[in-house]
Amino acid sequence: QLQLAESGGGLVQPGGSLRLSCAASGSISVIYAMGWHRQAPGKQRELVATVTSNDMTYTVDSVKGRFTISRDNAKRTVYLQMNSLKPEDTGVYYCYLRPLGISIDYWGQGTQVTVSS
């Protein structure tokens, strides 16, 4: 029914930048929030950033000042601008969508981000 299409991952050197995109398609209700989790090998998945329907944003402390989340409601798309990337940012980044008033989260397939010299 609902699909999330992620793009923008890749390999960058430390200090570089990437911009992730996630577009929602299909029949969905009103969106409450969209955002990103990430998971490094051997690590738990963690919330990185989220933006709500009223444009409230959150970023985890480790990326504050470096990552910026934004959205385009008309396109049902969320973006994650990642600057000053560090090796510890390496991992699979998963887009998620939470509909308003519905106890279901939708997930993308994940996109690999690798920060390495």
Side-chain angles (χ1 to χ4, degrees), residues 23-91:
S25 62
S27 181
I28 58 175
S29 300
V30 176
I31 297 172
Y32 171 68
M34 293 183 70
W36 299 87
H37 286 69
R38 69 184 179 189
Q39 187 168 25
K43 301 287 185 65
Q44 285 194 337
R45 188 176 299 191
E46 66 171 343
L47 177 65
V48 177
T50 189
V51 58
T52 64
S53 58
N54 61 346
D55 210 24
M56 297 293 100
T57 62
Y58 165 83
T59 52
V60 68
D61 286 347
S62 61
V63 308
K64 279 186 167 64
R66 301 187 297 118
F67 291 11
T68 302
I69 190 167
S70 61
R71 64 183 173 92
D72 185 329
N73 287 342
K75 297 181 178 179
R76 295 186 178 273
T77 300
V78 65
Y79 306 93
L80 187 66
Q81 179 67 47
M82 305 186 295
N83 299 326
S84 302
L85 282 160
K86 303 175 180 179
E88 53 261 44
D89 295 318
T90 294

